[in-house]
């Protein structure tokens, strides 16, 4: 096999799942075509990832896939004692998972690599069936959960720690690479930490969302975890259900270990960088590399931009609750009072959540907006942008929405809710950037009045409209170009690759 | 089978002296089962027939043939008894009551076919009368089925019908043997087969009325995914182990003689041990009563708490309680069987004199009484192991018992008449002590094995 420059560690995304992160990975690989990439995909269960959605670029020299929840080739349960030394290390490691403030250090990771899944260390069968493993579970249970259902605790324990065995095995068998790069913390980040310890080469971490935070949100809502509070337990300070807490602690430790081992930690925008630092990332390793777009794609759109603002507000995005389409519809309703000609276009696929689409349609009807609000479905963004007056984004959660950058590249001003990096994009991320001027307005989440006010402010003043459009164009040009992103990553890779030579 | 446990607890709740007698009586009948009653009936038949059936040797031939039928049928059906019991209780636990009858009938079909084949194979090598062969074959197949059906008795609620059926069946057998004009060995065998058949079919009728069914016959109890084949081996080895000392004595020409055709008996060994077997009735009654009430209940609470998510603290406490109940049950068996043993040892001479049996048997009877008393405790230990789902360990234990009984009995014959019977008693002692040690270890590791070694 060809020399591997960068081994990408991908959890549940590229090339099996479509979405922002996946297109970013594809963009990165294609953009740095002189480097050889090797892909390691980690998924939950094989059945969830059937189809590959991307054609791998030529500079991908190999790929492997691993599924953490698929268990095969297990021996039948048989009583066994277990190795003492392996289990004392294990107990030490587990206690840190219970106490995520104490990060696993290189020595622990080396210990895991040397012992987990090894016949003379801590084999997977020993983990499942041995007496020492039982003693570890019982100890932990009495320390942390002695009033909780034991059978739940037991299975949580098994399910949580089983993937570590797979990860260690994966790390052991990775082909030699000059650098590892994981696109999230979590299992992929932990694998990165193990791989760094195994091969003693640099490890980089880029986070799009904040994995640990997203997991926490999932877990607090997860309905598969049964809450077994005693009916007689009337204390006000009910602790969070132990199972959820155990999972959260686990992901926190995975994240911290990844942060601790990473040589550089990249966030998409300043807000996430602060969050990473709060979650335990050493500040001096962190940095921001914003996503970029190709301005050429929108040059035609920019050229076609009319002199006067078209009375059209466009929302480009999937029709799903997280985009809060309803606030957009309400904002159009309010704005119609002063701008009767106004059109509101919803541009994006409607297949994902049909019931939400139906709710939105009902809202349109009940507000009498049938003539003013249109569902256009999927469209070529570059073609439709010149027809828009304002690009609106009412999402309740975003990281760094590319759609704003695209609108700005076409010279269209934007109105976006204050989520993710929207304020940085529209108003500038640093002093120099801010001097370029704002290219739209930031509004509160779920506030149709404020959104309509911002919308009208742009549509009613053509001069301001063009000015803000130009501001945006210049900002994309200065900070958010694809090649800038490539250069930044190129520099980052080189910084870590050159010292090896 | 929890059925009898509920019934026994219900009776005990009345808390009168009579209710205790009632509960013990019921437990004795269901616990020691028809085979002890059979022995009793046969002994009575044997005694009352003397002077009515001529020549006297015919009675001995009859008793020996019946003994072979009992041994063969117990060993053969032993292969299926535990297997079927476990299958049925698993299905009942799942609430699939309709699977009970078809699988029982399927099992009876297989046992009958096997029994017939083996019976024909054995009888083909004999030169008995064709009619006698037929009577023997019928009796053998009927017995095989009876032992299977007995598995269900404790699971049903109509205990008084069961007791009445057994009582009427065996009374009929005794009366018919005594009152009907003597037709020699054929007559006695036909009465035996007919009465066992009557008991079998009446009990089967109760079972069929008790469990509804969608189909007639099913063989799911043999399905690899639902059956535990180790239980078949365990049941086979247990019955083999209980009989192997008799076989050894029958096969050695210096301690046995040919009674009829190829069927041999031991003039010195057989009589004392069969009398001794009657001594297990009190022990079995206590075993049934305590195991199926307190112990079974605490066992169920333990596993229920494990399944339904109790704290580990409560799991520990419930196990302690289960161990306590187990200890108590074993202690009660030990106590009652011990008193029985002491009394019988005191009265052995009188009993033998009363039964007009040569006092030369006295010493052997002492040893056999100790042996069968230990066997009751061993049965109780095995029962606890089944409750704890320790199938392989139970199989290992009965393997030890079988091998020890075989080898020590052989050794006792080599050593001479003064140690006859010690082989059996020592084998039971070794297995009982080993069983207690194993049980102790199983209880110590119960939580670990329950959680860590489940599939």
């Amino acid at each position: 096999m060809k020399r591997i420059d960068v081994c990408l560690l991908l959890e549940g995304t590229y090339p099996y799942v479509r979405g922002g992160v996946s297109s970013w990975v594809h963009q990165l690989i294609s953009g740095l075509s002189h480097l050889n990439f090797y892909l390691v995909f980690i998924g939950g269960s094989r059945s969830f990832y059937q189809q590959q959605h991307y054609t791998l670029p030529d500079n991908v020299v190999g790929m492997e896939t691993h599924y953490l929840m698929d268990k095969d080739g297990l021996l039948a349960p048989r009583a066994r004692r277990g190795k003492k030394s392996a289990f004392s290390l294990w107990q030490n490691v587990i206690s840190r998972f219970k106490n995520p403030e104490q990060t696993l250090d290189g020595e622990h990771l080396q210990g895991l690599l040397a012992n987990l899944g090894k016949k003379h260390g801590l084999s997977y069968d020993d983990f499942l069936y041995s007496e020492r493993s039982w003693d570890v579970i019982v100890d932990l249970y009495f320390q942390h959960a002695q009033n909780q259902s034991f059978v739940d605790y037991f299975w949580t324990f098994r399910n949580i720690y089983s993937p570590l065995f797979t990860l260690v095995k994966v790390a052991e068998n990775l082909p030699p690479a000059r650098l590892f790069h994981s696109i999230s913390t979590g299992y992929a980040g932990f694998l990165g930490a193990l791989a760094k310890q195994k091969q003693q080469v640099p490890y980089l971490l880029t986070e799009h969302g904040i994995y640990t935070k997203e997991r926490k949100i999932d877990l607090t809502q997860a309905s598969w975890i049964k809450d077994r509070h005693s009916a007689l337990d009337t204390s006000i300070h009910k602790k969070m259900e132990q199972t959820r807490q155990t999972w959260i602690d686990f992901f926190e430790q995975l994240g911290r270990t990844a942060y601790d081992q990473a040589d550089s930690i990249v966030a998409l925008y300043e807000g996430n960088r602060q969050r990473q630092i709060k979650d335990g990332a050493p500040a001096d390793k962190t940095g921001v590399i914003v996503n970029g777009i190709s301005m050429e794609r929108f040059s035609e759109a920019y050229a076609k931009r009319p002199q006067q603002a078209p009375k059209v507000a466009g929302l480009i995005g999937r029709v799903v609750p997280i985009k809060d389409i309803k606030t957009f519809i309400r904002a159009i309703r309010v704005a119609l009072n002063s701008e009767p000609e106004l059109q509101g276009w919803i541009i994006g696929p409607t297949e994902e959540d049909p019931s939400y689409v139906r709710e939105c349609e009902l809202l349109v009807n009940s507000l009498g907006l049938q003539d003013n609000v249109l569902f256009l479905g999927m469209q070529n963004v570059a073609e439709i942008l010149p027809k828009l007056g304002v690009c609106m984004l009412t999402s309740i959660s975003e990281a760094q929405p590319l759609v704003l950058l695209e609108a700005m590249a076409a010279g269209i001003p934007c109105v976006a809710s204050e989520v993710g990096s929207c304020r940085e994009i529209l108003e500038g991320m640093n002093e120099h950037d801010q001097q370029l001027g704002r290219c739209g307005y930031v509004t509160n989440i779920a506030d149709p009045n404020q959104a309509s006010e911002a919308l009208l402010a742009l549509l009613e003043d053509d001069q301001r409209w063009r000015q803000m459009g130009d501001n945006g164009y210049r900002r994309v040009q200065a900070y958010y170009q694809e090649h800038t992103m490539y250069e930044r990553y190129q520099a980052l890779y080189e910084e870590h690759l050159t010292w090896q030579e | 089978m929890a059925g009898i446990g509920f019934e026994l607890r219900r009776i005990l709740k009345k808390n009168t002296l009579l209710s205790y007698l009632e509960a013990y009586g019921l437990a004795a009948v269901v616990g020691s089962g028809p085979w002890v009653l059979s022995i009793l009936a046969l002994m009575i038949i044997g005694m009352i027939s003397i002077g009515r059936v001529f020549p006297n040797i015919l009675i001995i031939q009859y008793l020996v043939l019946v003994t072979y039928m009992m041994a063969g049928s117990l060993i053969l059906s032993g292969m299926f008894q535990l297997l079927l019991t476990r299958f049925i209780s698993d299905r009942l636990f799942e609430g699939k009551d309709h699977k009970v009858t078809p699988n029982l009938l399927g099992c009876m079909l297989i046992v009958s076919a096997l029994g017939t084949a083996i019976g024909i194979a054995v009888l083909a090598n004999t030169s008995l009368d064709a009619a006698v062969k037929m009577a023997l074959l019928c009796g053998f197949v009927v017995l095989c089925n009876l032992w299977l059906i007995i598995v269900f008795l404790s699971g049903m609620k109509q205990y008084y019908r069961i007791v009445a059926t057994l009582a009427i069946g065996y009374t009929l057998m005794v009366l018919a043997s005594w009152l009907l004009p003597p037709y020699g060995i054929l007559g006695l065998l036909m009465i035996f087969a007919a009465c066992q058949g009557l008991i079998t079919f009446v009990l089967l009728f109760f079972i069929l009325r008790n469990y509804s069914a969608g189909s007639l016959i099913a063989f799911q109890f043999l399905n690899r995914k639902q059956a535990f084949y180790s239980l078949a081996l365990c049941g086979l080895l247990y019955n083999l182990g209980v009989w192997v000392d008799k076989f050894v004595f029958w096969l050695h020409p210096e301690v046995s003689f040919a009674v009829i055709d190829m069927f041999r008996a031991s003039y010195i060994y057989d009589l004392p041990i069969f009398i001794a077997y009657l001594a297990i009735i009190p022990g079995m009654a206590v075993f049934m009563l305590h195991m199926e009430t307190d112990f079974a209940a605490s066992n169920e609470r333990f596993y229920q708490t494990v399944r339904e998510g109790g704290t580990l603290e409560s799991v520990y406490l419930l196990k302690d309680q289960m161990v306590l109940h187990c200890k108590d049950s074993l202690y009660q068996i030990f106590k009652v069987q011990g008193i029985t043993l002491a009394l019988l040892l005191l009265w052995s001479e009188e009993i033998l004199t009363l039964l007009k049996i040569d006092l030369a048997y006295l010493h052997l009877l002492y040893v056999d009484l100790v042996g069968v008393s230990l066997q009751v405790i061993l049965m109780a230990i095995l029962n606890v192991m089944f409750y704890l789902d320790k199938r392989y360990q139970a199989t290992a234990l009965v393997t030890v018992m079988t091998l020890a009984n075989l080898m020590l009995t052989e050794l006792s014959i080599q050593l001479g008449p003064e140690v006859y019977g010690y082989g059996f008693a020592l084998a039971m002692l070794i297995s009982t002590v080993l069983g207690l040690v194993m049980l102790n270890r199983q209880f110590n590791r119960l939580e670990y094995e329950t959680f860590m070694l489940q599939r």
Side-chain angles (χ1 to χ4, degrees):
Chain A
M1 191 159 45
K2 288 184 201 151
R3 183 185 72 169
I4 296 165
D5 297 311
V6 179
C7 176
L8 289 180
L9 309 172
L10 307 161
E11 183 179 331
T13 66
Y14 190 79
Y16 290 104
V17 175
R18 259 193 269 258
V21 178
S22 292
S23 23
W24 179 89
V25 173
H26 191 74
Q27 202 184 357
L28 182 78
I29 298 172
S30 315
L32 299 175
S33 54
H34 61 289
L35 293 174
N36 286 336
F37 285 87
Y38 183 83
L39 310 184
V40 178
F41 175 87
I42 304 171
S45 172
R46 189 179 304 273
S47 53
F48 294 146
Y49 305 101
Q50 299 291 354
Q51 198 194 343
Q52 207 167 302
H53 288 293
Y54 293 84
T55 316
L56 301 182
D58 291 339
N59 56 329
V60 173
V61 295
M63 169 167 171
E64 55 187 78
T65 52
H66 301 281
Y67 301 96
L68 296 181
M69 301 300 163
D70 289 351
K71 295 182 188 77
D72 27 41
L74 265 186
L75 296 177
R78 229 189 62 230
R80 57 189 71 222
R81 189 84 188 100
K83 311 268 175 322
K84 193 174 177 190
S85 57
F87 272 100
S88 68
L89 166 86
W90 181 236
Q91 190 146 25
N92 201 337
V93 167
I94 302 261
S95 73
R96 300 210 168 195
F97 274 104
K98 279 278 161 194
N99 190 3
E101 275 75 50
Q102 285 183 294
T103 312
L104 289 173
D105 56 30
E107 216 172 299
H108 289 116
L109 296 174
Q110 290 289 358
L112 288 178
L113 282 165
N115 281 291
L116 248 51
K118 299 288 182 304
K119 209 168 174 211
H120 300 290
L122 201 172
S123 71
Y124 189 47
D125 292 311
D126 277 0
F127 165 70
L128 291 180
Y129 310 132
S130 76
E131 286 173 59
R132 288 195 202 277
S133 185
W134 167 254
D135 294 341
V136 170
I137 298 176
V138 170
D139 262 13
L140 279 174
Y141 172 82
F142 278 118
Q143 274 173 40
H144 300 282
Q146 61 166 323
N147 296 320
Q148 305 281 335
S149 149
F150 183 72
V151 72
D152 289 354
Y153 187 86
F154 177 80
W155 283 106
T156 306
F157 184 90
R158 271 201 176 178
N159 292 335
I160 283 183
Y161 296 111
S162 285
L164 294 187
F165 287 81
T166 316
L167 290 177
V168 165
K169 208 163 114 192
V170 173
E172 288 272 305
N173 297 319
L174 286 176
R178 298 169 69 205
L179 182 148
F180 288 95
H181 186 183
S182 76
I183 316 302
S184 63
T185 59
Y187 296 113
F190 194 75
L191 178 60
L194 287 170
K196 176 200 169 96
Q197 287 297 330
K198 175 77 191 162
Q199 301 199 1
Q200 297 293 330
V201 295
Y203 159 53
L204 311 182
L205 166 63
T206 298
E207 266 197 295
H208 284 240
I210 297 293
Y211 185 99
T212 311
K213 184 183 88 177
E214 286 164 10
R215 279 297 139 108
K216 269 191 203 172
I217 294 170
D218 291 349
L219 283 164
T220 41
Q221 293 167 350
S223 54
W224 52 267
I225 299 171
K226 280 173 271 177
D227 278 299
R228 295 212 231 221
H229 282 301
S230 154
L232 295 172
D233 182 6
T234 52
S235 62
I236 304 165
H237 303 290
K238 268 185 201 168
K239 277 167 75 181
M240 187 190 307
E241 217 273 331
Q242 189 63 37
T243 310
R244 295 177 205 280
Q245 191 56 50
T246 309
W247 278 101
I248 288 170
D249 290 345
F250 175 75
F251 285 116
E252 273 184 15
Q253 180 60 265
L254 288 187
R256 274 175 187 269
T257 308
Y259 287 147
D260 187 53
Q261 293 292 319
D263 295 279
S264 281
I265 301 164
V266 180
L268 283 192
Y269 62 98
E270 182 59 23
N272 268 3
R273 190 177 82 92
Q274 293 304 330
R275 174 85 206 197
Q276 288 171 332
I277 293 169
K278 209 176 127 235
D279 286 351
D284 55 321
K285 291 187 195 170
T286 58
V288 172
I289 299 182
V290 298
N291 284 347
I293 59 162
S294 151
M295 287 193 80
E296 280 162 44
R297 259 184 74 205
F298 300 96
S299 57
E300 204 180 321
Y302 180 67
K304 277 195 199 158
R305 184 174 65 147
Q307 286 302 311
Q308 270 116 37
K311 306 290 185 224
V312 178
L315 187 150
I316 303 171
R318 295 165 296 138
V319 184
V320 291
I322 202 170
K323 301 284 178 192
D324 198 3
I325 309 290
K326 289 179 184 174
T327 292
F328 173 73
I329 296 169
R330 291 194 182 99
I332 299 293
R333 175 61 262 175
V334 178
L336 270 172
N337 296 337
S338 346
E339 193 71 69
E341 302 284 278
L342 183 68
Q343 289 272 308
W345 293 354
I346 296 160
I347 302 149
T350 52
E351 295 90 40
E352 199 173 319
D353 191 344
S355 68
Y356 185 71
V357 175
R358 182 83 195 118
E359 285 171 35
C360 291
E361 285 167 351
L362 285 173
L363 182 65
V364 168
N365 290 344
S366 63
L367 295 177
L369 297 174
Q370 292 90 332
D371 297 331
N372 298 83
V373 172
L374 305 176
F375 291 87
L376 298 183
M378 286 274 275
Q379 298 286 333
N380 183 332
V381 178
E383 280 170 20
I384 206 153
L385 275 171
K387 299 175 189 157
L388 301 183
V390 175
C391 174
M392 282 186 78
L393 190 75
T394 48
S395 299
I396 51 178
S397 175
E398 287 286 351
Q400 191 211 352
L402 285 176
V403 58
L404 294 183
L405 303 179
E406 290 169 347
M408 285 150 68
I412 312 290
C414 307
V415 172
S417 50
E418 181 156 23
V419 289
S421 61
C422 289
R423 189 178 284 279
E424 284 180 18
I425 292 174
L426 298 186
E427 296 180 3
M429 60 183 127
N430 52 40
E431 217 173 301
H432 182 256
D433 187 6
Q434 278 157 7
Q435 278 168 7
L436 290 174
R438 53 167 63 197
C439 56
Y441 296 103
V442 177
T443 64
N444 291 331
I445 295 172
D447 189 339
N449 291 325
Q450 216 187 357
S452 94
E453 231 172 86
L455 175 62
L456 290 172
L458 286 168
L459 293 182
E460 279 164 1
D461 185 339
D462 285 334
Q463 203 189 332
R464 184 192 290 157
W465 179 74
R466 279 193 72 88
Q467 180 61 45
M468 285 206 176
D470 289 338
N471 292 348
Y473 184 81
R474 283 200 296 278
R475 176 163 294 132
V476 175
Q477 202 169 31
Y479 296 103
Y480 295 100
Q481 289 220 60
E482 203 173 43
H483 65 79
T484 321
M485 177 184 119
Y486 295 147
E487 282 155 19
R488 300 281 309 273
Y489 270 104
Q490 171 69 26
L492 189 66
Y493 282 160
E494 249 162 38
E495 178 194 333
H496 291 290
L497 286 173
T498 43
W499 67 265
Q500 296 178 66
E501 277 141 24
Chain B
M1 293 279 174
I4 188 152
F6 294 127
E7 185 67 17
L8 291 173
R9 266 174 268 166
R10 192 185 61 77
I11 298 172
L12 286 177
K13 269 206 191 107
K14 287 188 250 167
N15 205 19
T16 61
L17 195 56
L18 206 60
S19 73
Y20 276 89
L21 279 178
E22 191 183 341
Y24 275 110
L26 190 59
V29 174
V30 178
S32 38
W35 77 287
V36 169
L37 296 181
S38 296
I39 293 178
L40 199 61
L42 288 175
M43 291 185 71
I44 297 172
I45 295 171
M47 280 189 290
I48 59 175
S49 300
I50 293 176
R52 284 185 49 85
V53 181
F54 294 103
N56 275 344
I57 183 76
L58 280 185
I59 302 157
I60 297 179
Q61 289 181 339
Y62 165 68
L63 292 177
V64 166
L65 286 174
V66 169
T67 306
Y68 273 86
M69 280 198 279
M70 301 269 266
S73 60
L74 279 166
I75 293 169
L76 176 63
S77 68
M79 248 169 57
F80 295 91
Q81 275 195 48
L82 291 172
L83 187 74
L84 189 67
T85 319
R86 176 60 190 265
F87 175 84
I88 299 292
S89 36
D90 283 355
R91 297 296 84 73
L92 291 177
F93 181 78
E94 291 171 4
K96 292 179 180 161
D97 297 26
H98 62 279
K99 292 198 169 175
V100 172
T101 302
N103 279 291
L104 170 66
L105 292 179
C107 193
M108 287 173 71
L109 189 65
I110 288 182
V111 165
S112 300
L114 271 177
T116 310
I118 293 171
I120 289 174
V122 171
L123 291 171
N125 291 319
T126 64
S127 51
L128 295 166
D129 272 359
V132 172
K133 282 184 183 177
M134 280 309 291
L136 278 172
L137 191 62
C138 289
F140 178 63
V141 174
V142 159
L143 277 180
C144 288
N145 283 298
L146 179 60
W147 305 142
L148 272 191
I149 285 176
I150 285 163
V151 160
F152 288 80
L153 297 190
S154 62
M156 290 188 303
K157 307 248 148 52
Q158 312 122 328
Y159 297 103
Y160 295 99
R161 287 191 196 175
I162 293 165
V163 174
T165 307
L166 292 173
I168 292 170
Y170 288 113
T171 310
L172 210 61
M173 187 155 91
V174 172
L175 287 178
S177 305
W178 186 32
L179 297 175
L180 285 184
Y183 272 99
I185 197 159
L186 179 63
L188 288 172
L189 283 174
M190 279 170 68
I191 292 168
F192 178 80
C195 290
Q196 298 286 7
L198 180 74
I199 295 168
T200 306
F201 283 108
V202 172
L203 294 178
L204 180 62
F205 171 73
F206 293 154
I207 295 169
L208 295 187
R209 278 207 340 183
N210 209 36
Y211 298 102
S212 63
S215 58
L216 186 63
I217 285 176
F219 298 102
Q220 288 145 328
F221 69 100
L222 290 174
N223 182 336
R224 210 162 223 309
K225 291 200 184 89
Q226 299 187 328
F228 298 100
Y229 291 162
S230 58
L231 288 175
L233 185 65
C234 191
L236 178 72
L237 282 173
Y238 173 75
N239 285 292
L240 211 56
V242 167
W243 283 95
V244 72
D245 54 318
K246 289 105 199 159
F247 284 122
V248 170
F249 267 89
W250 293 338
L251 288 175
H252 272 274
E254 65 266 35
V255 287
S256 69
F257 61 104
V259 177
I260 176 167
D261 205 273
M262 64 182 285
F263 300 102
R264 307 176 66 83
S266 170
Y267 48 83
I268 183 147
Y269 194 70
D270 295 355
L271 205 51
I273 195 135
F274 289 126
I275 298 172
Y277 267 118
L278 293 178
I280 70 169
I281 296 175
M284 287 304 287
V286 176
F287 163 35
M288 200 76 189
L289 194 71
H290 284 265
M291 282 287 169
E292 295 298 327
T293 55
D294 295 346
F295 177 75
S298 59
N299 177 270
E300 198 190 321
R301 265 201 306 279
F302 173 82
Y303 283 106
Q304 194 179 351
T305 306
V306 165
R307 280 194 306 274
E308 293 179 358
T311 63
L312 191 54
E313 191 81 50
S314 60
V315 170
Y316 279 149
L317 281 173
L318 286 169
K319 187 195 79 174
D320 288 351
Q321 202 174 42
M322 180 162 58
V323 173
L324 199 69
H325 282 144
C326 175
K327 226 162 74 180
D328 191 47
S329 298
L330 288 176
Y331 174 63
Q332 294 290 342
I333 297 169
F334 198 77
K335 197 170 69 179
V336 170
Q337 195 62 39
I339 293 172
T340 313
L341 180 63
L343 290 177
L344 286 174
L345 289 177
L346 277 176
W347 291 335
S348 288
E349 224 177 302
E350 284 76 4
I351 293 170
L352 289 185
T353 316
L354 187 72
L355 295 176
K356 299 196 181 76
I357 294 169
D358 193 342
L359 284 181
Y361 291 120
L362 189 61
H363 185 70
L364 190 52
L365 181 62
Y366 288 158
V367 181
D368 283 340
L369 279 171
V370 174
V372 294
S373 299
L374 287 167
Q375 196 188 323
V376 178
I377 297 177
L378 183 63
M379 281 160 93
I381 292 169
L382 285 169
N383 193 47
V384 173
M385 287 188 181
F386 292 133
Y387 267 111
L388 300 180
D389 200 23
K390 299 289 170 233
R391 302 183 297 278
Y392 297 110
Q393 287 93 329
T395 311
L397 183 57
V398 296
T399 309
V400 169
M401 177 190 87
T402 308
L403 289 177
N405 200 8
L406 173 69
M407 293 190 294
L408 293 173
T409 303
E410 181 65 38
L411 186 69
S412 74
I413 293 177
Q414 308 288 335
L415 290 176
E418 57 274 20
V419 290
Y420 288 173
Y422 280 99
F424 167 71
L426 201 57
M428 290 303 155
L429 180 66
I430 291 171
S431 341
T432 305
V433 172
L434 177 67
L436 285 172
V437 172
M438 286 169 84
L439 206 55
N440 185 46
R441 182 176 149 84
Q442 283 162 16
F443 273 125
N444 278 336
R445 293 159 58 90
L446 188 61
E447 299 91 352
Y448 159 65
E449 294 191 352
T450 304
F451 283 99
M452 294 293 273
L453 302 185
Q454 64 190 329
R455 273 168 200 278

